[in-house]
Amino acid sequence: MTRRDTGAPRTSRRSSRGQVVPIFALIAVVLFAATGLAVDAGLSYFTYNGSERAAASAALAGVPYMPGGFPAGAPSNSTCGGAAGTAACAATARDGLANGSTVNGHPVTVTVARYPSGCGASPAPACEDNKLTVQVTAWVQPTFLHVLGFGDHQVTATDTAFFLPPISLGQPGAQLGSTVDQLSTSASYPYILRSEGYANDRSEGDAYDPYNTQVNITCKNPDGSNHTETPAASTGTSTDVHTLSATLGTDVSDSTLTGAGYNRLPEGGGYNFSLTVPSAVPAGYAMVYNPAFAPDGGSNSPISGVNMHEQDSSFSGNAYTDQYSAMEYTVFQVNDRFDHSSDTPLSQVVVDPLNMTISGGSVTSIVDVANGQTLPAAIMANVVSGVYHKWVDVGVPPVASYAWGAGGKYNIFHVFKSLAGGSLPPGSYRLRADMLDWQGLRPADDAGASKCSRAHKGYAVELATSASASGALCVDPGCQASALDELAVYTPISTAGTSGFSIPLFQLPADYAGQTINFYVFDVGDVSGANSISIENPDATSCGGPAPCRFTTSTGVKVFDLGASRNTPLTINNLLAPNGNADGCANPAVQPVGTDALVNTYPIAGGCAGRGATFFNGRWLLFQLQIPSNYTGAGGAYWGMHYSQSGGTATDTFTISVNYANSPVHLL
């Protein structure tokens, strides 16, 4: 009995021990699966994260080339072709995910498409010009989970980038600036484009071209002796240069230009104009009105009472040859609208300055100042009919009509390169205008160059559909001519009564709603009589009533007096009242900011010694414009500057610059 009782428990323990093996096997499988899931989930996340970074960097790299850089084909075409697709796919390749390359045993697929998905074909929505979508598909090879029968799987990451469109300076359409006819007959073109010679003090309105350091300049007198030019110390010194310049490394390099047979450009930069030829226009022409500096004595202009104001009071006379300026025009193809150092030069011409003699409303003689030669009668007739106060194709100048002397020795046009195709096909281009000295040298950069020019150059720019001397303005809605970064203008506007006048300055797309825009203006308000200046918003929705409405300090707009240099740091000491105390003035109440405008004249009081009617003479002002969040930009309306003036003529030269302080390219 006892032995049978002790044998039964031993049998039970052996049975329990036999169940451990399957339990352990089951637990091992679970642990293996959990480990495999954790490891392979990490691999999937790692692959997706890399794909997402690649898609984001690709979208940011490709979107600056939109819309013209997207390849031909269906609007939602998926490809690495075209400028946008090429840049996008190059970015994914840098991240190790090149389109078509093998990663984890499978090919990577990069899809570049317009936004939104499926756009362009009816009834789908229209494609947006400033957005680009990139999708990157890669594969994951499981490790542990292969044992459990799980195969390879793909991960897909998609990102969309957009850019804030460049701010177009100037006026609507394909022309910028006025002709003499338009000044006398039309209010649609209310100013002349302006550049000024290096010996002019900056207080005359051109913030960049004039020589602006306080040193003496030796210049020639009519009798051959010398005299000294000294820029007025009242405006202070400045190191300001153009936004696009070799000095800042933002323009095409000298080596690129000289290596291709072009003339080196002034290192401080020049005035630049954007020309857009739409796909509906087969050929465009870069035209400049009145391309040669040719002072006509003002009232002696062939068009009575109207002229290009190329001989102002500061121009001392015909005998000062070193006071004239040659003009240089260079055309570039724009490859990346946010990096003009990569632009491709296409053409370049230098135009000699001309000494015009006009009697009884007719041109009686012309001297080519660069070579001291009087033009023969036939050449003079050609200049009068085809150059002086006329439109000229600076991409392909009409050289043959202006050559004279043995073997065509003399010519007012010096062509370094002409457009290879004779015109501009659809695309984006840049026209740069530079003032040289009278002999075609760069005043601040070349040995032997004169810095004595007192020239005031008046001209206009247009995108035309033919190279006609009368102008053949492109009227297609896609054609546009606008200034890049800066614009200097002269306003020979006559006003009556107290309403004053407005001039268009820049076009702001709806994408800028809620953003802060920096609006700089230099030497504004040098007009006779009391006047005030304000910035006009043309958008009725964001105005909350009839448009235009005016930005004011009472609505929170900050206005800074930067003095002679645009690079002056912003502090409470240069913030104008009522929010600041500019220049330490003891009485902010008399600072030149009213409730609805920026006032240029005001009574001197308190500690504001030395401040008078020319308070902003030779000074930069910065308006920090907070664009309303409900701004619609309806109709592409242009923002303007309003002069409230009680009659008279607003003969004012000033320079403006408008920019967005942050990066214009973002992820959506």
Side-chain angles (χ1 to χ4, degrees), residues 3 162 213 226 334 347 401 410 450 480 501 520 553 559 582 595:
R3 291 176 182 173
F162 74 99
T213 57
N226 295 329
V334 176
S347 70
S401 300
Y410 304 113
S450 170
Q480 186 183 50
F501 65 96
Y520 298 87
T553 53
V559 183
T595 57

Side-chain angles (χ1 to χ4, degrees), residues 171 173-179 182 189 193 271-277 281 283-292 308 327-332 347 349 351 385-398 402 413 419 422-424 429-433 457-475 479-483:
Q171 60 205 38
Q175 180 178 332
L176 193 59
S178 298
T179 68
Q182 291 163 344
Y189 303 94
L193 299 187
Y271 285 103
N272 291 275
F273 306 94
S274 174
L275 303 176
T276 302
V277 184
V281 177
Y285 297 84
M287 307 289 285
V288 173
Y289 179 81
N290 200 44
M308 298 302 288
M327 297 298 298
E328 182 175 54
Y329 304 100
T330 310
V331 177
F332 299 87
S347 70
V349 61
V351 188
S385 63
V387 177
Y388 178 64
H389 291 180
K390 299 295 189 299
W391 290 101
V392 173
D393 177 10
V394 295
V396 187
Y402 304 95
F413 292 107
L419 289 177
S423 62
L424 301 172
Y429 303 93
R430 169 167 65 104
L431 169 63
R432 173 167 160 168
K457 181 75 187 87
Y459 62 109
V461 169
E462 75 170 7
L463 177 63
T465 53
S466 75
S468 168
S470 60
L473 182 68
C474 180
V475 296
C479 288
Q480 186 183 50
S482 60

